[in-house]
Amino acid sequence: MQIKLQNVSKSYQKGTELIQVLNNIDFSIESGTWLNITGPSGSGKTTLLRLLSAIEQADNGQVVLGHLDAIKANEEERRSFRRNSVGYIFQDFQLFEQFDVQTNVMIPLLPYEPRKVAEEKAEKLLDMVGMLHRKNHMPSQLSGGEQQRTAIARALINNPQLILCDEPTGNLDIEKRDQIIEILQEIHQNVVTIILVTHDLELTKYGDAHFEIRNGQLIDRTISIVR
Ligand SMILES: Nc1ncnc2c1ncn2[C@@H]1O[C@H](COP(=O)(O)OP(=O)(O)OP(=O)(O)O)[C@@H](O)[C@H]1O
């Protein structure tokens, strides 16, 4: 998915205080780019991901996400964009504890597809992330890496063209982290756009571009990527 942000700002009101989080952000990436974003805690990385998933709207500027003009789009258009085009992967996995692995993966499809279709698709994705043998297990029976692999399968269930990852390896040891990166590389293959927020500078060697957020602005650090 092609993404273009122009002159984008975002602030939050906290009591009487206005917190300016993002300030005149400008960038564009082509479809199939893997972009890493780093920056200090509280610098606005998650806020930027929330604009890129159209959960939140910018105060001003232009936010174009594939065919969606996120500033002009109404609530239903933005919801449909999230459902059909975006996969979100979180640091804390966010699996439903009361459902088994397979059900967790197929949940986003259930309102729209027959159960059988959802089951088959979930099985294929679980196979891809090496979790098919655990499909009847509950999240509490899984390691962190296994939970994240399940969450990735769930994020892929609607064939998203954009995958947003918020510290996806933040809770994992190095071996599990590397497994997750390998899966992301397999998904990416220069077709799916990946935007990965991380504190782990080691991860910035993967991908096509690296931006750092500082004082609400984006600094292009791509040059340091070892290919
Ligand atoms: N809904 C909100 N209301 C008020 N302030 C908010 C809201 N969401 C975020 N903020 C503030 O915006 C700033 C940026 O937050 P954000 O979560 O985007 O940072 P971050 O770079 O992802 O941080 P971290 O690395 O610690 O996760 C913080 O000061 C935060 O307190």
Side-chain angles (χ1 to χ4, degrees):
M1 178 187 298
Q2 214 172 7
I3 292 177
K4 185 175 177 195
L5 271 65
Q6 218 169 14
N7 202 22
V8 166
S9 299
K10 180 72 186 170
S11 56
Y12 291 110
Q13 190 78 41
K14 245 187 199 165
T16 55
E17 200 189 345
L18 186 74
I19 303 171
Q20 189 69 40
V21 181
L22 302 174
N23 226 332
N24 293 326
I25 298 275
D26 270 317
F27 78 90
S28 52
I29 53 173
E30 293 303 319
S31 253
T33 300
W34 176 327
L35 169 65
N36 295 303
I37 298 176
T38 59
S41 185
S43 59
K45 302 181 296 297
T46 299
T47 302
L48 180 58
L49 288 187
R50 290 171 69 80
L51 296 182
L52 294 171
S53 65
I55 285 178
E56 294 221 37
Q57 287 192 291
D59 298 339
N60 55 272
Q62 208 189 6
V63 178
V64 181
L65 310 167
H67 297 298
L68 185 85
D69 183 332
I71 301 273
K72 292 194 185 137
N74 62 32
E75 185 80 19
E76 178 47 35
E77 288 165 334
R78 291 191 288 130
R79 197 177 306 127
S80 156
F81 168 79
R82 280 199 296 281
R83 188 171 69 228
N84 297 313
S85 308
V86 185
Y88 220 114
I89 301 168
F90 305 90
Q91 175 170 4
D92 58 358
F93 325 127
Q94 300 203 7
L95 297 176
F96 296 103
E97 295 295 328
Q98 68 274 37
F99 297 128
D100 67 14
V101 161
Q102 184 170 11
T103 308
N104 261 283
V105 174
M106 59 199 224
I107 273 177
L109 266 193
L110 286 177
Y112 312 101
E113 299 274 1
R115 193 174 179 91
K116 188 101 190 91
V117 174
E119 276 173 3
E120 281 169 11
K121 194 150 188 218
E123 284 183 357
K124 268 196 197 129
L125 289 168
L126 284 170
D127 194 23
M128 187 201 128
V129 298
M131 285 296 293
L132 188 55
H133 62 302
R134 306 297 297 271
K135 70 174 184 171
N136 297 322
H137 288 218
M138 303 304 279
S140 60
Q141 298 171 307
L142 307 178
S143 72
E146 288 166 343
Q147 289 190 56
Q148 192 60 301
R149 283 191 271 147
T150 304
I152 291 176
R154 180 181 61 188
L156 295 176
I157 197 91
N158 282 319
N159 300 320
Q161 288 309 296
L162 173 63
I163 311 256
L164 301 174
C165 312
D166 199 348
E167 286 283 0
T169 60
N171 286 351
L172 306 178
D173 63 30
I174 288 178
E175 190 191 329
K176 305 253 169 55
R177 175 194 77 182
D178 291 348
Q179 282 174 3
I180 295 298
I181 292 299
E182 263 178 45
I183 292 171
L184 289 177
Q185 284 178 310
E186 198 178 323
I187 299 164
H188 172 236
Q189 299 200 18
N190 301 317
V191 178
V192 176
T193 303
I194 293 191
I195 301 189
L196 189 152
V197 156
T198 183
H199 282 113
D200 184 352
L201 289 176
E202 180 73 12
L203 294 189
T204 61
K205 69 179 182 219
Y206 303 100
D208 309 301
H210 171 203
F211 293 168
E212 185 185 342
I213 302 190
R214 284 262 164 201
N215 303 322
Q217 297 193 310
L218 275 187
I219 305 164
D220 190 344
R221 302 275 191 216
T222 306
I223 197 90
S224 62
I225 289 179
V226 181
R227 286 167 202 277

